[in-house]
Amino acid sequence: MFEQIKIACRHLIEVPDDVAPARYASLRRIMTVLMVVVSVMPLLVLTGINHVQYQHTLQGELEVPLRGMVGKTRTSLSLFLTERASTVSLIAQAYSFDDLSDPKTLTRIFRALKSEFQGFVDLGLVDETGRQVGYVGPYNLRGAEYGDQPWLHHAQVKGAFISDVFLGLRGTPHIVIAVSHMEENGRTWVVRATIDTAQLDRLVAAMGLSPDADAFLVNTQGIMQTSSRLYGGVLHKLPLPVPPVSYDTSVTLLHDAQGQELVAAYAYIQNTDFIVMALKPHSALFQPWTTLQSDLLLLLACSVALIVFVSHVLMKQLVNRLQASDERRVAAFAQMEHNQKLSSIGRLAAGVAHEVNNPLAIINEKAGLALDFLHMTGDFPKKDRLTALLQGIESSVDRARNITHRLLGFARRMEANRQELHLEEVLTETLGFLEREAQNRGVTISTSVAENLPALISDRGQLQQVFLNIIGNALAAVDNGGTVQVRCAAGQAGFVHVEIEDNGKGMPPEVLRHIFEPFFTTKQEKGNGLGMFITYGIIKRLGGEIHVASEDGKGTTIRILLPLVPPEGQENPALPNSASVQEKP
Ligand code: ADP
Ligand code: MG
């Protein structure tokens, strides 16, 4: 990854010499990935933080009502039990064993007790042997033996004791509040009162929970102390773990037998074995949050998708533009190099031609003189042979001079012979020279000239030479029976187009590259390789452009762009790409 980023940076900074598509594909990929990472990362991190924080706050917020209800119930239960324990304690302190043994007194006390406090079922006096010697209440329990009851033992040890819910001798669930009294003589007896568990049920029910929630009292061994909606009635075993000790209201997560997650608020009640508990399924409690969460997730996914899409499109556009501009730059550079090369070769050739011209003139003159002398002198052996040799020199010099003149024509700042002319006429004149050859070989030369093609100011002779060179080459390239098409049309403002297309043998790239160079020919003896070189020079001088497109084996198209009015100077600086070659696709 790091390596890739380094490559991408290098790709971005460096200016390439050639335009490899793979480079841009990799650049686009890496830039898209970088852009997506840079923009999605903070989004994800922020969403994560927000999620955690929000969940935390929300959890607290959602737990508050449950906590509140449990706290309130714990307080009222605690109050309920301490109040009753104190009252029983007061009775044990205020009356003597003998007072309480008297059924009348005990009944009076019990009546007063019932009228002041709800929930008392009966009242009894137990002597130190554990025998209930006094009793008021709905059951027939006078004389009952409680010696083996744990509550009695606890009360004797602790002084006061509130039991768990149990069935006892009467067979209905109740709790016992027992308070022991020790007389000065060491005799110990116990006052006991029982409380109906319906009172506890009422207190728990007062919580007013929603239908999916449950609340109950349970003891520290996990035995239900009140009936519950979901976990069975009184004295059933709670099918959930007992939460750890906490006298403040706490919230914990429990899992029931079905694996459902439950939020449990609970509190231990001081001085008893009771735990108040309220339960609500986690899913129900967090329903609003879950909905919000999935909405947020959807939003996040949409944003990420949008970022990815936009990054992809943007980077594609950007890299495409970069590639296009690189391509243009590289092409322009190659073109410039090509033109530069041609122009220096042209100058060199012209220089050589100029230097060779003078000795050629001298040779010509001397050969002429020698011939004259020969004519004047009488016959001598081999005179004819010598004359023929001198004439051979003259004709070769002529040929050489012809070449040097053509070469000089390329670079010479000719005071061009400017006149108004119609391309159609120039073409017709030129084709006149080539018609015979074309007819002999069955080659069709078709000309199409756009109507109302404007007249241009140019050099008739030079244009003829250009067309002669190009159409001559086309004729040479086509097989017998081939076709050459010449088309003229108005081009961009101020220019006309001439297109010469043949279906001949075309050119491979190696030939195409050198077509404008002097003495470059593929025709061996039959060509001198100056045609296109001179054509290039003329077109340039006339302020035009020439482009060659060719495909090996298929044919060649040469496009010439000529200005309606040639510029004043020799070359046209406004047209840097005055010549180009291009392989046909
Ligand atoms: P020459 O015709 O004397 O060979 P030119 O400068 O006119 O010289 O052309 C140079 C070379 O370019 C030719 O030898 C030929 O290989 C190639 N050429 C030019 N025009 C065409 C064409 N229309 N079709 C195929 N090859 C061409
Ligand atoms: Mg030629």
Side-chain angles (χ1 to χ4, degrees):
M1 183 67 194
F2 187 65
E3 201 47 38
Q4 295 236 311
I5 293 173
K6 248 168 71 184
I7 292 173
C9 292
R10 226 185 29 239
H11 279 175
L12 261 180
I13 294 162
E14 75 186 7
V15 178
D17 293 334
D18 61 337
V19 186
R23 175 179 177 271
Y24 295 93
S26 99
L27 190 64
R28 187 180 57 225
R29 249 194 326 272
I30 294 164
M31 277 170 66
T32 310
V33 169
L34 274 183
M35 178 121 167
V36 168
V37 167
V38 164
S39 34
V40 167
M41 269 300 200
L43 192 68
L44 288 184
V45 170
L46 274 183
T47 312
I49 293 175
N50 199 12
H51 172 85
V52 170
Q53 203 139 44
Y54 191 71
Q55 199 183 26
H56 208 73
T57 318
L58 196 79
Q59 187 153 3
E61 202 76 353
L62 291 174
E63 284 166 7
V64 164
L66 213 57
R67 234 176 230 278
M69 284 187 296
V70 168
K72 246 194 283 177
T73 310
R74 182 199 59 167
T75 314
S76 34
L77 256 171
S78 196
L79 192 71
F80 176 86
L81 291 171
T82 29
E83 220 173 45
R84 274 144 193 81
S86 310
T87 312
V88 176
S89 186
L90 183 77
I91 294 167
Q93 297 303 326
Y95 295 89
S96 68
F97 183 81
D98 296 332
D99 291 337
L100 295 175
S101 317
D102 175 20
K104 275 196 196 134
T105 316
L106 197 62
T107 309
R108 209 183 58 241
I109 296 170
F110 180 60
R111 263 207 242 112
L113 197 64
K114 272 200 84 139
S115 71
E116 283 307 313
F117 298 101
Q118 285 181 325
F120 280 112
V121 180
D122 56 10
L123 185 66
L125 175 67
V126 179
D127 71 9
E128 57 196 323
T129 63
R131 210 177 118 82
Q132 183 155 263
V133 288
Y135 176 81
V136 226
Y139 304 101
N140 187 14
L141 290 172
R142 180 189 291 270
E145 289 293 347
Y146 291 126
D148 55 347
Q149 293 279 335
W151 58 261
L152 184 67
H153 177 70
H154 282 299
Q156 282 166 346
V157 173
K158 292 185 187 168
F161 180 69
I162 300 172
S163 76
D164 291 355
V165 175
F166 69 112
L167 294 175
L169 297 176
R170 72 194 64 181
T172 55
H174 62 286
I175 53 177
V176 167
I177 297 176
V179 177
S180 76
H181 182 99
M182 187 184 270
E183 288 181 359
E184 274 138 31
N185 58 13
R187 200 165 75 137
T188 314
W189 41 269
V190 172
V191 178
R192 64 174 283 277
T194 57
I195 291 174
D196 186 4
T197 48
Q199 290 302 313
L200 302 183
D201 283 331
R202 196 175 50 77
L203 279 171
V204 172
M207 269 201 229
L209 286 172
S210 57
D212 53 358
D214 199 359
F216 46 81
L217 267 189
V218 64
N219 72 5
T220 49
Q221 282 81 52
I223 307 296
M224 305 290 294
Q225 304 292 296
T226 61
S227 55
S228 87
R229 195 160 11 185
L230 302 172
Y231 303 103
V234 183
L235 299 180
H236 274 76
K237 178 94 177 97
L238 177 69
L240 295 171
V242 175
V245 179
S246 159
Y247 291 100
D248 281 332
T249 317
S250 298
V251 175
T252 185
L253 275 183
L254 300 177
H255 292 269
D256 68 8
Q258 286 80 45
Q260 194 189 19
E261 218 174 32
L262 300 164
V263 180
Y266 70 95
Y268 279 62
I269 297 177
Q270 217 117 30
N271 300 326
T272 69
D273 219 12
F274 298 138
I275 308 168
V276 196
M277 256 178 119
L279 296 170
K280 198 161 181 171
H282 187 275
S283 54
L285 195 57
F286 284 89
Q287 180 64 45
W289 163 236
T290 319
T291 324
L292 183 68
Q293 198 180 22
S294 46
D295 285 357
L296 284 179
L297 256 174
L298 190 72
L299 192 72
L300 180 70
C302 287
S303 329
V304 171
L306 195 70
I307 289 175
V308 170
F309 176 73
V310 169
S311 307
H312 174 76
V313 171
L314 268 184
M315 287 304 131
K316 198 170 159 178
Q317 287 289 333
L318 202 75
V319 173
N320 281 353
R321 278 189 180 196
L322 190 71
Q323 184 172 5
S325 90
D326 278 353
E327 271 167 2
R328 270 201 303 275
R329 189 175 46 73
V330 168
F333 195 71
Q335 194 64 59
M336 220 167 68
E337 250 180 353
H338 185 69
N339 287 349
Q340 209 96 47
K341 185 171 115 193
L342 281 182
S343 118
S344 35
I345 291 176
R347 264 187 227 117
L348 183 73
V352 171
H354 187 77
E355 290 306 318
V356 169
N357 231 9
N358 291 342
L360 275 182
I362 295 167
I363 294 172
N364 197 31
E365 196 189 307
K366 301 281 150 101
L369 264 176
L371 266 179
D372 289 347
F373 278 133
L374 265 190
H375 284 312
M376 285 188 280
T377 44
D379 273 353
F380 61 91
K382 303 215 176 145
K383 181 183 175 185
D384 287 349
R385 178 105 173 91
L386 196 59
T387 311
L389 283 176
L390 283 173
Q391 277 168 347
I393 292 179
E394 266 196 324
S395 79
S396 286
V397 167
D398 250 10
R399 209 171 98 93
R401 221 180 19 200
N402 210 5
I403 292 179
T404 56
H405 276 167
R406 291 181 78 181
L407 275 179
L408 280 173
F410 171 82
R412 200 189 301 143
R413 198 192 189 96
M414 279 212 281
E415 219 17 84
N417 174 19
R418 303 273 155 92
Q419 56 181 262
E420 197 179 90
L421 51 86
H422 286 274
L423 268 186
E424 204 175 349
E425 287 168 18
V426 180
L427 275 170
T428 317
E429 284 161 16
T430 312
L431 289 175
F433 297 114
L434 299 166
E435 243 158 26
R436 179 169 293 277
E437 189 197 338
Q439 259 170 14
N440 288 347
R441 292 181 45 214
V443 176
T444 328
I445 302 182
S446 63
T447 2
S448 79
V449 178
E451 273 175 40
N452 55 46
L453 191 70
L456 52 142
I457 298 183
S458 205
D459 187 313
R460 190 177 211 100
Q462 293 197 349
L463 277 185
Q464 273 181 0
Q465 203 180 342
V466 164
F467 293 136
L468 211 56
N469 283 338
I470 294 174
I471 301 171
N473 280 344
L475 270 180
V478 295
D479 292 330
N480 289 354
T483 52
V484 177
Q485 297 173 45
V486 184
R487 294 184 285 267
C488 296
Q492 62 196 85
F495 285 86
V496 286
H497 260 298
V498 185
E499 238 177 42
I500 295 109
E501 184 178 351
D502 67 64
N503 63 354
K505 60 180 160 57
M507 283 172 265
E510 316 79 85
V511 173
L512 195 57
R513 246 199 310 274
H514 300 292
I515 186 171
F516 291 120
E517 289 170 19
F519 305 112
F520 176 83
T521 177
T522 57
K523 297 174 186 161
Q524 279 124 16
E525 305 297 281
K526 285 188 209 148
N528 59 16
L530 287 177
M532 292 308 285
F533 172 66
I534 285 164
T535 301
Y536 170 79
I538 293 175
I539 296 292
K540 222 172 162 192
R541 238 189 343 266
L542 293 177
E545 288 180 42
I546 178 162
H547 303 285
V548 185
S550 185
E551 194 182 355
D552 198 13
K554 291 273 168 66
T556 305
T557 306
I558 298 195
R559 274 186 205 90
I560 299 172
L561 206 59
L562 284 172
L564 292 181
V565 180
E568 279 311 305
Q570 176 188 345
E571 285 170 19
N572 184 0
L575 292 169
N577 303 327
S578 49
S580 83
V581 292
Q582 169 204 337
E583 290 168 56
K584 271 190 184 172

